[in-house]
Amino acid sequence: MIEIRTDDLTGEQTLRLAAQHHAEMHANTPPESVHALDLDALRAPGITVWSAWIDGDVAGIAALAQLDAARGELKSFRTGDAHRGRGVARALLRHIVAEARARGLTSLWLETGSDAAFAPARALYAGEGFRECGPFADYTDDPLSTYMTLAL
């Protein structure tokens, strides 16, 4: 069973997973195309982080950044390697969509990679109703990015 809880990113396991996510984004993407938030940015006001747990082990993390009163952005989605294929990302995504609706948001937005390594993420988002769109907020056209949105 997957347990999802609000996370303050002070626990060793979630810190390690968030740091791994950030490091891998920088290792595999040119700096100008990396939009992953570091730990300090994830702790900023207006950003809520959740962690998913399976049998006492952190299985994934994800965040919601409030862009304005009506829009939120998904950030820092990461499933731990040992938990891939177990529905962790889908559970986190559905949790965040429900929370966004409860907060009265009318749309969610996200940026993810456009290369083959990000195909599973794009498929997950599309399967939950997200549609490709153009850049939003402070993003610009970038061939390494895919932008998606979901009307709530």
Side-chain angles (χ1 to χ4, degrees), residues 6-94:
T6 305
D7 202 296
D8 62 4
L9 292 175
T10 58
E12 184 179 322
Q13 288 190 60
T14 52
L15 280 172
R16 189 170 38 249
L17 187 56
Q20 178 186 9
H21 172 71
H22 195 259
E24 285 184 12
M25 294 300 101
H26 280 277
N28 298 311
T29 306
E32 65 276 8
S33 294
V34 174
H35 303 291
L37 299 178
D38 65 18
L39 291 173
D40 287 337
L42 284 170
R43 291 182 181 126
I47 297 181
T48 305
V49 178
W50 289 272
S51 54
W53 297 80
I54 298 175
D55 297 328
D57 189 31
V58 68
I61 56 169
L64 174 63
Q66 190 117 2
L67 296 174
D68 55 39
R71 300 177 308 147
E73 180 182 0
L74 304 179
K75 298 297 294 182
S76 299
F77 257 81
R78 175 66 184 206
T79 299
D81 295 340
H83 297 284
R84 293 197 177 184
R86 299 179 72 182
V88 173
R90 187 171 308 279
L92 280 164
L93 180 57
R94 288 178 176 173

Side-chain angles (χ1 to χ4, degrees), residues 138-150:
D138 294 332
Y139 293 102
T140 59
D141 281 324
D142 183 342
L144 298 180
S145 289
T146 297
Y147 305 100
M148 301 180 85
T149 188
L150 174 70

